[in-house]
Amino acid sequence: MSTIVEFFMAPDDASAALALRTGPRRAESLSFGNFDAEEAVVEWECLLVGGGFEELVEAGEPCIVAGRDDAGCVVFAVSPRLSAALADAERSRLRDVAVAWAARRAEDGEVIGTEIAEVILGDLAALVGDARCQGQGVYCWVA
């Protein structure tokens, strides 16, 4: 589980990778904590778009752009498919996904309140929408 989870916009993988050591340090970012962000984005994609968790992981999701040692930080890209689904989702759909995600986490003994889950997904959907308007992608830095 990650202590710091920060979603941010970047024009490309190389630019996003620069955040590896110090974090994104951008005004247009979202900071959260205490959940497994790599697992979360795969679960969100399953819940929003469909597909199996293992299938997405075997396909290389999430795509790591920097880091990957067991003790350090990592930067990964939010998939284009998840980005599109988040940007296009109605608020009620995001609420349903948040409830389902919180329930999945509870089954594994991880407590994420549905209100927090809804804030995370709603804020991320807004960030993705802004990124799309600016021709950028969304990435996540975890430490």
Side-chain angles (χ1 to χ4, degrees):
M1 186 176 331
S2 303
T3 302
I4 302 170
V5 175
E6 193 160 343
F7 291 95
F8 65 99
M9 290 189 265
D12 54 44
D13 291 355
S15 297
L18 297 173
L20 182 63
R21 299 284 177 237
T22 60
R25 298 185 180 195
R26 292 181 172 90
E28 296 171 330
S29 65
L30 304 171
S31 293
F32 302 104
N34 298 323
F35 68 93
D36 186 332
E38 291 178 67
E39 184 175 275
V41 295
V42 175
E43 288 182 337
W44 297 336
E45 189 164 335
C46 290
L47 291 166
L48 276 166
V49 185
F53 187 91
E54 293 301 323
E55 173 187 330
L56 290 172
V57 171
E58 288 175 12
E61 292 301 332
C63 178
I64 305 298
V65 298
R68 186 61 309 170
D69 59 31
D70 292 334
C73 301
V74 66
V75 176
F76 65 85
V78 174
S79 76
R81 193 170 97 141
L82 176 58
S83 292
L86 284 166
D88 296 339
E90 298 290 328
R91 197 79 174 151
S92 61
R93 177 74 175 125
L94 292 174
R95 186 177 315 111
D96 293 344
V97 169
V99 169
W101 179 54
R104 281 186 178 195
R105 294 296 82 236
E107 289 172 3
D108 288 342
E110 188 178 345
V111 178
I112 296 177
T114 55
E115 298 83 16
I116 291 296
E118 190 173 346
V119 167
I120 292 169
L121 285 165
D123 288 355
L124 183 55
L127 182 69
V128 166
D130 291 346
R132 288 175 79 184
C133 289
Q134 296 177 32
Q136 298 194 41
V138 174
Y139 296 84
C140 185
W141 174 71
V142 293

